Amino acid sequence: MRRLMHALFGLLAASSTMPATAQLQWQSTGVQQVSHTAPAPRAASGKPAAKAPTVVRQASAVAPPAAANRPAPVRQAVAAMPPAPRSGSAPRVDASVQAACATCGCAGGCGCGGSYYEEPGCAVVDPSCAYGDPGCGCELGCGCGVEPGCGLTYGETCGCGDVGCGGTCGMGCGDGVCGDDCVPVVLCLPPIRELTLFAGVQAFKNPLDGPNRDRGNFGFTEGVNVGGSMSFLGVPGVGYQLGYRSTQNQLHGDDDLNTDSGHTQQFFTGGLFHRKPVGLQYGVVYDLLQDERQGSMDFGQLRGLISVTNPCGHEIGFQFASKMNENTVALGTAGTVTYHATNQYLFFYRKHGCQGGEVRFFGGFDDDSKGIVGFDASIPLTDRWSLATGFTYVIPEEDGAGIGAQEEAWNLGTSLVWHYGKRAKQSYSGQYRPLFDVADNGSLIIDDRP
């Protein structure tokens, strides 16, 4: 016990006489050498003299980050790396790869067990290193940037069987489910700026209902209409629109056709347009109707519009529709009749509301000297919902002996419209809102020609 006490006092005495010299400290950012001077003697006044400044010199080498601070892929990569080569043995690295490694600041040889895993900007690999070669450290996987041609960058991960990383573990990126003979295909879709869904009721009549019919069709309708930008064409302000409408009519059959089943229709609309809140706007779309009243028949038309809008929301313009095909139906001993879409020439006036919504009145004629009048409107109810309604009436050229009832055509409909993104009010000033409504029996009117 006495000897222990003497040893302790000896150590204390020795430490009290040691000068305050530089000490080495290990910090998270590297090794720093901190130099402190001995305490300054007190001045004659009794106040301590000014303390000499502390001098800090940054070490030339930076300590590697702690293992816990590394990204998960890096920790897995370092854990899977083979032991470092013994002193005096150099890693197997090509001269060109070594030069590239030096450029990105990766020491020890990129892709061959070096320290580039701790350098986020280093993505160089050894092209001579075969995938899965434990001697090169290439068994780490695509998530660590070791797989040549994989395309993944530092810090990205992929699991076994991920086809985006080469199919299965241990397989090269070109050895996935497609094989080396396949060519990847990238499908680019233009962005959607406006999307609406609608559903409602409608009634219509036209000569396709039959030569002896003077009654109309009633049913339901629903569909979708989308619009977006075509900026990738290099033409500023050009938009596209695509729409679909389905109708279900005569829900309880037809005695003239001796059926108790209703008939359906499908409308498709697609085209390009240029819309401006103030100024010139124009567009053209192709409309397709598949009708099942007298067997399945397809009707196509080209529809166009040009108009001018002033700053007060008043718009005047011209709209046309031109038939693209005809369908001939045999009537037995009575011969045949040919049906086609009506050629229309319409002038219109439209008023845009200050809080959204619009109302349009139009009138014109077709190529058979029949008059056409109509009205449509869209009124926002909330930020997400609006009400769309309208009618079209084709005035027959003759109205005697029941001929007028066979030649007339009309359409009446009302729908509730849902706007994606709560744009029921804002969409009316949108540059890429569809310029045309999806075709219906008021814009694609069927007429006959004996």
Side-chain angles (χ1 to χ4, degrees), residues 23-95:
Q23 304 293 328
L24 292 179
Q25 298 180 358
W26 183 270
Q27 298 182 0
S28 61
T29 58
V31 179
Q32 295 180 337
Q33 184 172 349
V34 183
S35 175
H36 299 279
T37 61
R42 292 180 175 270
S45 61
K47 297 182 179 180
K51 185 178 179 181
T54 299
V55 180
V56 179
R57 293 189 296 274
Q58 180 67 37
S60 59
V62 178
N69 296 330
R70 297 172 179 168
V74 176
R75 294 198 302 269
Q76 298 172 2
V78 174
M81 286 175 56
R86 296 181 180 178
S87 177
S89 61
R92 179 168 60 86
V93 184
D94 290 348

